[in-house]
Amino acid sequence: MSDLLAIYGITACVVLAWTVVRLIRAPKDRALWSLCGLITGWTASFPFGRAADRQVGLLGTTPMESRLIEHSLVVIGVHGLICFYLYSALNGRQARKRAWQYGIPLAVTLAVLMAAALLTPGGVATRDHRVTSVAVFFVAADSYCVFGFSRAWVWNRRYARGAGPRLRRGLRLAAAGMIAIVAASVLFVVAVVLHWAGGSGVPKSLHTQGAAATTLGWFAAVFFLLPGVVIFLAGVTYPAAVMHVIALRLWWHHLRQYRRLGPLWTALHEQFPENSLSRIPVRPWRDALNPRAVHRRYYRRAIECRDGLVRISPYVTASDDAGIRTSQELSDGLRRALRARAAGLPASANAVPIAVPEDASLEADVRELVALSDALRTERPNGET
């Protein structure tokens, strides 16, 4: 149980950080604000719930007040989930109107939670469902979770049909988490009612660990609620996580290609330093730490290499009458051409393209340049460089 709670807490914090970063980049995205409200509510509720489980208060509150804050944040977060789907599917005016309409059940639930918490006698355990006010408190919170996640699940399934493959997989994963959360909430309501009516409970040790007050409730928490929350959060972040993985792979590919172009760029830059596409960053230290700067440097190096080959091509033609086929043969010719230009020898009036790709894409062009650069890096057996 404690391990699952730790996984839940860590996952919620990670997803919250991811959501805040995206919100900074798109501060006017109301759907993202709603999703941030959901994750914030769940994350902020965690420490209050843990404190209430131990029958202590947090930040000067009593245990029951901590429980009230915990569940209030949870149900407000569920309302944020409802708003997320509303703002994703409807225009701004319609979404705001529906959000206010769905705010009525939320307000009623919060009023019931507050009244039940105020009516709970001091010293009563916050999970003692034999006390009517505590039982009403948990039934109200869990019932709203059933309502909110059931409604969100319906919208989720509807939107998944027309979504792209990546988004559809994320929505299906989130839907699986919603089903688990709804199942857990239903079982919680049943467990609370049974315990209030005098049903059998679990050993007292489970109460001190913050488990549900009946065996059924403990089963729902361990096998449905906590895994369901983790699966739901994984589904919410899945599309963006896949995009980041793809972006990371592209970044690593560009970094490797940039480094492999080094020998060719160095040789050409020594002959044609004026080809350099100079750009001095406003803040060099920030530019050096910026991951996106790798892409800029990659494209700039590829362009500079191609420009240098265009300018050295007359010397390659002048020094090599026969057609050059392999990258190693071309690298030998390029070495001779560089030496010829450095020695001040005249260039040929005719020039031929060097390392021409099979198609006109940039990637194909870079592959040819990289092959030439790799061959240029390798020293010839006779010692020629």
Side-chain angles (χ1 to χ4, degrees), residues 208-273:
T208 60
Q209 298 172 10
T214 65
T215 304
L216 181 61
W218 178 85
F219 177 85
V222 173
F223 294 100
F224 287 96
L225 178 62
L226 296 179
V229 170
V230 174
I231 293 172
F232 170 76
L233 293 177
V236 169
T237 58
Y238 176 82
V242 171
M243 290 182 61
H244 279 79
V245 170
I246 295 174
L248 181 61
R249 290 175 59 186
L250 180 63
W251 178 87
W252 178 247
H253 174 69
H254 282 178
L255 179 62
R256 290 184 60 204
Q257 300 292 75
Y258 170 82
R259 290 176 175 175
R260 290 176 66 184
L261 286 172
L264 177 62
W265 181 86
T266 301
L268 294 172
H269 183 71
E270 290 176 353
Q271 293 291 327
F272 309 106

Side-chain angles (χ1 to χ4, degrees), residues 271 312 314-316 318-319 336-348:
Q271 293 291 327
I312 200 65
Y315 294 91
V316 173
S319 59
R336 290 189 290 270
L338 291 171
R339 287 196 298 269
R341 186 183 186 280
L345 298 179
S348 171

